Amino acid sequence: MAKTIIRFDHATFGFSDVIALQDISLDITEGEFVGVIGPNGSGKTTLCRAVLGLMQPMGGSLQIFDCACEELRCHHRARIGYLPQKGALDRNFPITVLETVMMGRYGALGLFNRPSKRDRDIALEALSHVGMEDRLDSALGHLSGGQQQRVFIARALAQQPDVLLLDEPTTGIDITTQHSVLDLIRHLHRDLKLTILLITHDINMIRSSVDRLVLLKTRLYAAGPPEEVLRPDVLRQVYGKDLVITEKDLILVEDYHHHH
Amino acid sequence: MFEMLAYDFMQRSLLAAATVGAVCSVIGVFVVLRGLAFIGAGTAHAAFAGVALAYLVGLPPLPLAIVFGLATVWVTGVMEEQGRMKLDVSIGILYTATMALAILFIGLMKGYNAEVYGYLFGSVLSVTPDELRVILVLSMVVLGVLLTFSKELYFIAFDQEMAEASGVPARRIFYLLLTLVALTVVVSLKTVGAILVFAMILIPASTAYQLTHSLSHMTAYAVVIGVACAVGGVLLSYGWDLPSGPAIVLLATTIFFLSVLLSPKRRRRVQTA
């Protein structure tokens, strides 16, 4: 029986008067590949911030790893490698690929400790996992969107995490690159035995990769293997008329607002 | 040329200028990258208000300058975090309010006080041995803290939320940076003056920003440029009998515009266009 490493127990999250996630109960076990889906504003990013320990539950509880602490301490955060949603990177920000990945070591190192040769080796290994080891001194801003995504994944890996938390890793990059980024994530799950928590609006992209899907819209509507969650009656509760089911039984959820 | 180095005052002012040039340009790297330029400019005026109050009530100027500078920088930091009002508006209000306080304190003084104006416009050639000692000690403290927390400071400059998420105490580091900005401003007040100090923080770092794609190189270039401009400005000021603050700042500004014209980043953009 695999160990539970993240446990939401009737947890509710929000900001002062707005509830973003309500009464969530969910166990994530070691080595799982979990996809979190739901429409815009369904609380996906809140779930992400909660797992990172940036938000405390207003009700219920959230346990991460083996400790029951209310607030994640810094050394716990370092065990979760996080790929944030692709923001607008300032292309002129003066930072090299290696300098970016080395930042992944900083949280784990703690204050007062300077990066050593070992940290550099860990960063180089992380870069080789994502196939960017020959671009160490390139300016981050000169890379393509897909390459930048790889570098940011390498930064997450440099933390030597147990969990990889990816927030919309395939949004904002072209379709070929989306597939290669997803291949990379599958490879990391398989070869590095990482627990993967992938948040996305693109169900079709991940349905064949994940062990389990979690369907959110403020509340948790379903959690289980893709064939159980991706049923019209289940999805319609969340997506309503935005749901289109084609002849080939492919499920397309068009989320036009997402790109604006 | 070299006989001027025999004068004690000249040695003091060159040492003061070089120290201020170094500390301003290192903190400037983080200010430029984290986007805190306006916060710092406001702090300089607040610190000057502290100096004016000190002369009005007959207290030593430095501690009050530190108190005013820190109070302003922390208040603006809180405002940035909460984001209730647009930051440029709230800083604009604080900035002018502290300047109004400074003018009020000066107006309440009996007669004209040349020393107060020294803090406004800078007078590196009149730095006393005591003042030099304070500049050296405070600069060492600021540089030491910057060096100790450099990896965290770089991280929050690049992406504060990411830093927080990966286990760096990012909020505390952000306030540490604000504190260091205030201390740097106070250290530099006497040398370049409240009006011009922020040029010394922004220009060397922005010049270095034009020239490199690496964080470590940017810092190294900024220090070289900052120290060279400060020392060069003092020499110009002595040689041609110019006010020292403007001499330093205008020299730095000239080099900044040259770097914009010659920037490899700019060339790349022209080529790809």
Side-chain angles (χ1 to χ4, degrees):
Chain A
M1 180 76 194
K3 203 168 68 179
T4 297
I5 49 177
I6 298 173
R7 167 169 287 167
F8 288 86
D9 188 8
H10 299 286
T12 295
F13 298 89
F15 315 89
S16 53
D17 50 351
V18 188
I19 289 191
L21 281 176
Q22 193 170 15
D23 196 24
I24 305 292
S25 290
L26 175 69
D27 283 6
I28 292 168
T29 53
E30 205 168 49
E32 258 194 307
F33 190 147
V34 177
V36 180
I37 57 174
N40 285 334
S42 57
K44 299 194 296 289
T45 297
T46 302
L47 186 87
C48 198
R49 293 178 57 80
V51 170
L52 288 168
L54 298 176
M55 268 179 115
Q56 288 186 38
M58 295 157 72
S61 72
L62 167 62
Q63 277 190 39
I64 299 172
F65 304 123
D66 45 1
C67 89
C69 51
E70 288 298 334
E71 191 183 353
L72 266 190
R73 284 193 294 271
C74 294
H75 61 275
H76 284 115
R77 284 190 196 156
R79 292 173 60 191
I80 302 170
Y82 169 50
L83 179 75
Q85 247 183 73
K86 201 167 159 2
L89 179 76
D90 172 6
R91 292 187 75 85
N92 281 325
F93 194 98
I95 189 165
T96 65
V97 166
L98 183 60
E99 284 174 335
T100 309
V101 177
M102 281 300 283
M103 284 181 173
R105 297 299 308 147
Y106 293 176
L109 270 171
L111 300 172
F112 306 108
N113 296 310
R114 308 203 72 79
S116 64
K117 166 117 188 355
R118 184 176 162 268
D119 297 298
R120 195 185 142 92
D121 290 343
I122 292 170
L124 292 177
E125 197 192 332
L127 274 166
S128 73
H129 279 302
V130 303
M132 292 293 292
E133 66 275 26
D134 52 350
R135 300 300 295 274
L136 298 186
D137 297 318
S138 298
L140 184 66
H142 290 172
L143 303 180
S144 70
Q147 289 172 322
Q148 286 177 0
Q149 234 20 9
R150 285 172 182 272
V151 172
F152 289 132
I153 291 174
R155 176 175 66 182
L157 292 178
Q159 287 175 220
Q160 299 188 309
D162 300 325
V163 179
L164 203 54
L165 176 62
L166 307 138
D167 192 359
E168 301 280 4
T170 57
T171 301
I173 49 183
D174 64 76
I175 190 86
T176 325
T177 316
Q178 286 184 9
H179 284 288
S180 81
V181 167
L182 197 66
D183 281 344
L184 168 65
I185 295 166
R186 269 198 294 261
H187 145 81
L188 297 173
H189 173 239
R190 201 178 48 236
D191 298 349
L192 299 182
K193 311 272 183 281
L194 289 172
T195 306
I196 309 275
L197 201 53
L198 191 156
I199 290 165
T200 186
H201 68 286
D202 194 346
I203 301 174
N204 290 309
M205 178 64 78
I206 59 155
R207 57 187 299 186
S208 59
S209 305
V210 297
D211 300 324
R212 261 204 307 165
L213 279 176
V214 172
L215 180 62
L216 286 181
K217 188 182 176 185
T218 311
R219 290 171 171 276
L220 191 146
Y221 279 80
E227 62 275 15
E228 279 177 27
V229 176
L230 299 181
R231 290 197 334 241
D233 54 317
V234 177
L235 289 173
R236 247 185 249 286
Q237 304 174 70
V238 167
Y239 288 98
K241 59 182 169 17
D242 293 335
L243 181 71
V244 179
I245 300 173
T246 70
E247 291 164 7
K248 289 178 185 166
D249 208 23
L250 275 175
I251 298 157
L252 296 170
V253 178
E254 293 292 304
D255 207 345
Y256 295 111
H257 306 292
H258 212 95
H259 303 285
H260 299 291
Chain B
M1 178 77 188
F2 289 104
E3 73 270 22
M4 66 184 177
L5 295 178
Y7 298 119
D8 281 353
F9 82 89
M10 203 60 202
Q11 292 169 359
R12 278 199 303 275
S13 43
L14 284 173
L15 189 54
T19 309
V20 166
V23 70
C24 281
S25 40
V26 178
I27 194 103
V29 169
F30 301 105
V31 168
V32 166
L33 294 179
R34 180 63 178 73
L36 298 176
F38 206 35
I39 287 187
T43 311
H45 291 78
F48 178 67
V51 171
L53 179 62
Y55 277 99
L56 178 65
V57 298
L59 287 170
L62 207 63
L64 274 182
I66 292 178
V67 169
F68 271 65
L70 284 180
T72 311
V73 91
W74 286 338
V75 167
T76 43
V78 171
M79 289 196 294
E80 197 206 70
E81 275 191 332
Q82 296 187 336
R84 286 208 192 126
M85 201 190 289
K86 275 197 169 173
L87 193 65
D88 57 346
V89 175
S90 45
I91 297 175
I93 292 169
L94 263 182
Y95 185 152
T96 41
T98 49
M99 203 60 206
L101 269 183
I103 298 169
L104 177 73
F105 295 146
I106 292 173
L108 292 173
M109 286 175 203
K110 294 188 174 59
Y112 175 82
N113 190 327
E115 275 184 72
V116 177
Y117 288 92
Y119 283 95
L120 193 54
F121 297 121
S123 55
V124 68
L125 295 177
S126 66
V127 168
T128 65
D130 280 346
E131 286 166 344
L132 179 61
R133 225 165 294 148
V134 172
I135 289 174
L136 287 175
V137 170
L138 276 179
S139 298
M140 289 307 131
V141 170
V142 172
L143 285 173
V145 176
L146 281 174
L147 195 66
T148 308
F149 297 104
S150 58
K151 70 181 195 303
E152 285 81 12
L153 288 163
Y154 280 129
F155 206 166
I156 68 156
F158 185 48
D159 187 340
Q160 181 154 341
E161 181 161 285
M162 182 67 217
E164 180 90 46
S166 58
V168 168
R171 253 190 102 234
R172 274 178 282 163
I173 295 290
F174 176 60
Y175 279 93
L176 177 72
L177 175 59
L178 291 176
T179 304
L180 294 173
V181 169
L183 286 178
T184 305
V185 163
V186 171
V187 167
S188 320
L189 269 191
K190 181 74 198 230
T191 321
V192 276
I195 296 179
L196 300 181
V197 54
F198 230 67
M200 279 312 291
I201 293 182
L202 292 183
I203 296 175
S206 317
T207 308
Y209 182 97
Q210 301 295 326
L211 302 176
T212 175
H213 292 293
S214 151
L215 274 177
S216 50
H217 291 177
M218 177 176 169
T219 313
Y221 292 173
V223 173
V224 171
I225 294 163
V227 173
C229 288
V231 171
V234 171
L235 295 179
L236 283 178
S237 156
Y238 177 81
W240 289 341
D241 199 18
L242 302 169
S244 56
I248 295 172
V249 170
L250 291 176
L251 180 62
T253 311
T254 309
I255 291 174
F256 171 72
F257 280 113
L258 281 177
S259 79
V260 172
L261 287 177
L262 302 175
S263 164
K265 292 181 183 177
R266 186 184 155 85
R267 276 210 298 278
R268 181 174 293 272
R269 216 172 300 141
V270 172
Q271 275 164 12
T272 52

